[in-house]
């Protein structure tokens, strides 16, 4: 974001095109990764008696990681690549905090420290941490997590706006030195932790489809709808695999994992992303995005020709300095 022109600094965060990652902490997942014990995952595997056969569990442990891992790079690397929105699903295991997507992913404590290091070094970069869920955690665990977030980011935390329809500009955040937004749902102590943005301030409709054509239609339709003031909007350009996709991958008649499926979608998205420029783009959530796609999302902030002019001005300044 620090490369944005001065004019864009006056725009609200909801008016800026921002790259982001889906299930950001799933990158370490592999065969052998521990499974979560969350009922809403496991219930789908149970038979009529509520039991899960050992053979099915073994199948899930072997095949599942390839379809639940959504990123190849660590969160620190995601930030360095240009992503500024992170989708975090928290899972508590005794006294430790992890990120998860059916399987246990990265250690959340370490991730928060890495994010803090990044925003400490890159003082003009705004990062949005969207805590989509907090699972297997009791109230005391959640409180300790909030205290750790507060201690880790301190004055960089953006206070939740008091006005329902207010969203700060990028320039306001940088000038105030508050560059970390944390949005969470179902938190009881929002008065004590006044930096927690209500989850309702981030609207992120999910297509829940494995069809590339349906994703394009869904994204365009949702971006074209009227939006509530005071919210950020996430276009989730992601595919959701089905049992048929898993079986097709095993038989060689389809993508072998989510990475392969996502890379095909990302290529198509790169071709039609330009069609979205008139639809008020904001945050784009992707799986396995390469730098070229991230660059296209960022470039949507520039009018045609303006980026070339900016580069020319920079070259002129360098010549003068020489």
């Amino acid at each position: 974001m620090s490369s944005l022109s001065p004019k864009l600094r006056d725009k609200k965060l909801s008016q800026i095109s921002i790259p982001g990652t889906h299930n950001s902490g799933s990158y370490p997942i592999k065969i052998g990764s521990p499974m979560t014990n969350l009922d809403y995952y496991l219930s789908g595997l149970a038979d009529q008696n509520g039991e899960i056969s050992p053979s099915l569990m073994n199948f899930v442990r072997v095949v599942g990681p390839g379809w639940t891992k959504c990123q190849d790079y660590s969160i620190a690397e995601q930030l360095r690549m240009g992503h500024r929105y992170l989708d975090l699903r928290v899972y508590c295991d005794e006294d430790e905090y992890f990120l998860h997507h059916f399987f246990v992913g990265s250690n959340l404590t370490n991730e928060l420290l890495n994010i803090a290091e990044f925003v400490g070094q890159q003082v003009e970069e705004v990062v949005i941490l969207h805590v989509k869920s907090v699972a297997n955690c009791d109230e005391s665990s959640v409180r300790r997590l909030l205290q750790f977030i507060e201690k880790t980011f301190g004055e960089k935390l953006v206070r939740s706006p008091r006005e329902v329809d207010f969203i700060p500009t990028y320039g306001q955040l940088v000038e105030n030195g508050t560059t970390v937004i944390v949005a969470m749902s179902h938190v009881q102590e929002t008065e004590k932790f006044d930096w927690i943005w209500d989850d309702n301030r981030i609207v992120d409709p999910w297509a829940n489809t494995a069809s590339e054509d349906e994703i394009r239609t869904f994204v365009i339709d949702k971006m074209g709808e009227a939006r509530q003031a005071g919210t950020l909007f996430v276009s989730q350009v992601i595919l959701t695999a089905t049992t048929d996709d898993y079986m097709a991958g095993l038989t060689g008649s389809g993508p072998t994992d989510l990475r392969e499926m996502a890379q095909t979608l990302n290529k198509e998205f790169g071709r039609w992303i330009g069609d979205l420029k008139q639809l008020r783009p904001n945050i784009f959530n992707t799986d396995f995005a390469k730098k070229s796609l991230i660059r296209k999302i960022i470039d949507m902030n520039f009018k045609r020709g303006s980026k070339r002019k900016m580069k020319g001005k920079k070259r002129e300044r360098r010549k003068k300095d020489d």
Side-chain angles (χ1 to χ4, degrees):
M1 285 187 187
S2 58
S3 63
L4 298 180
S5 69
K7 287 185 178 180
L8 284 176
R9 290 184 174 228
D10 295 330
K11 286 186 174 292
K12 294 181 179 181
L13 212 57
S14 55
Q15 299 172 319
I16 298 175
S17 181
I18 301 171
T21 54
H22 168 241
N23 275 305
S24 309
S26 63
Y27 64 88
I29 292 176
K30 60 184 179 180
I31 295 176
S33 292
M35 293 176 61
T36 63
N37 61 357
L38 302 180
D39 290 340
Y40 60 81
Y41 283 141
L42 299 178
S43 60
L45 304 176
D47 59 22
Q48 293 179 344
N49 299 319
E51 298 180 354
I52 305 173
S53 70
S55 58
L56 178 58
M57 287 296 289
N58 289 334
F59 174 83
V60 171
R61 287 191 178 97
V62 173
V63 175
W67 293 97
T68 55
K69 174 177 176 173
C70 302
Q71 306 298 328
D72 275 330
Y73 299 100
S74 71
I75 286 179
E77 291 171 310
Q78 291 170 31
L79 291 171
R80 287 194 290 270
M81 291 172 69
H83 291 294
R84 295 295 177 265
Y85 167 91
L86 301 174
D87 165 6
L88 308 177
R89 322 289 176 99
V90 179
Y91 178 75
C92 293
D93 186 3
E94 296 182 352
D95 292 330
E96 290 192 87
Y97 301 96
F98 295 92
L99 298 172
H100 76 96
H101 188 208
F102 196 98
F103 295 87
V104 176
S106 61
N107 183 287
L108 177 58
T109 302
N110 293 338
E111 299 293 11
L112 293 172
L113 292 172
N114 290 333
I115 296 168
E117 181 179 3
F118 177 84
V119 296
Q121 295 172 347
Q122 307 293 331
V123 295
E124 293 195 357
E125 297 295 340
V126 175
V127 176
I128 303 165
L129 309 182
H130 190 184
V131 182
K132 298 285 292 288
S133 63
V134 179
N136 206 45
C137 304
D138 57 25
E139 287 187 18
S140 62
S141 296
V142 173
R143 190 178 306 111
R144 286 196 303 273
L145 174 59
L146 297 178
Q147 290 169 343
F148 182 77
I149 292 174
E150 192 168 64
K151 179 181 178 181
T152 300
F153 294 104
E155 294 301 315
K156 286 193 172 293
L157 292 167
V158 181
R159 264 47 193 177
S160 177
R162 294 181 180 179
E163 298 84 0
V164 176
D165 60 351
F166 178 78
I167 289 290
T169 67
Y170 166 64
Q172 286 172 333
L173 296 178
V174 172
E175 288 167 12
N176 294 334
T178 54
T179 54
V180 178
I181 293 175
V182 180
M184 300 177 69
S185 61
H186 310 300
V187 177
Q188 303 299 319
E189 301 181 82
T190 51
E191 291 185 3
K192 181 178 179 181
F193 301 99
D194 63 350
W195 43 266
I196 299 175
W197 287 43
D198 191 286
D199 181 66
N200 292 330
R201 281 189 174 270
I202 300 183
V203 179
D204 57 344
W206 174 41
N208 191 18
T209 180
S211 165
E212 294 175 17
D213 291 336
E214 289 180 10
I215 281 290
R216 178 178 181 176
T217 301
F218 182 85
V219 168
I220 292 175
D221 287 349
K222 291 300 179 182
M223 286 184 69
E225 292 177 358
R227 296 182 198 169
Q228 183 179 343
T231 60
L232 301 175
F233 186 84
V234 181
S235 297
Q236 298 204 72
V237 192
I238 58 173
L239 295 173
T240 304
T242 65
T243 304
D244 290 340
D245 294 311
Y246 307 153
M247 299 310 298
L250 287 172
T251 59
S253 57
T256 57
D257 55 20
L258 184 61
R259 181 193 292 103
E260 188 175 338
M261 180 182 282
Q263 287 175 345
T264 303
L265 171 64
N266 290 344
K267 287 181 181 178
E268 289 302 313
F269 177 40
R271 295 187 180 101
W272 53 264
I273 188 173
D275 300 340
L276 308 178
K277 200 161 187 176
Q278 305 304 317
L279 296 174
R280 297 174 299 152
N282 191 193
I283 299 167
F284 290 97
N285 209 5
T286 56
D287 291 328
F288 301 104
K290 294 183 178 180
K291 289 183 179 179
S292 57
L293 181 57
I294 298 169
R295 186 71 255 173
K296 287 183 178 181
I297 294 173
I298 296 171
D299 285 350
M300 292 183 76
N301 291 301
F302 302 97
K303 291 182 180 179
R304 186 172 297 177
S306 63
K307 190 181 176 192
R308 194 177 298 115
K309 290 178 182 178
M310 283 183 64
K311 287 183 177 179
K313 289 179 180 178
K314 287 181 179 178
R315 282 195 293 268
E316 288 177 10
R317 284 197 296 268
R318 289 195 199 103
K319 289 180 180 179
K320 290 180 180 178
D321 292 339
D322 292 340

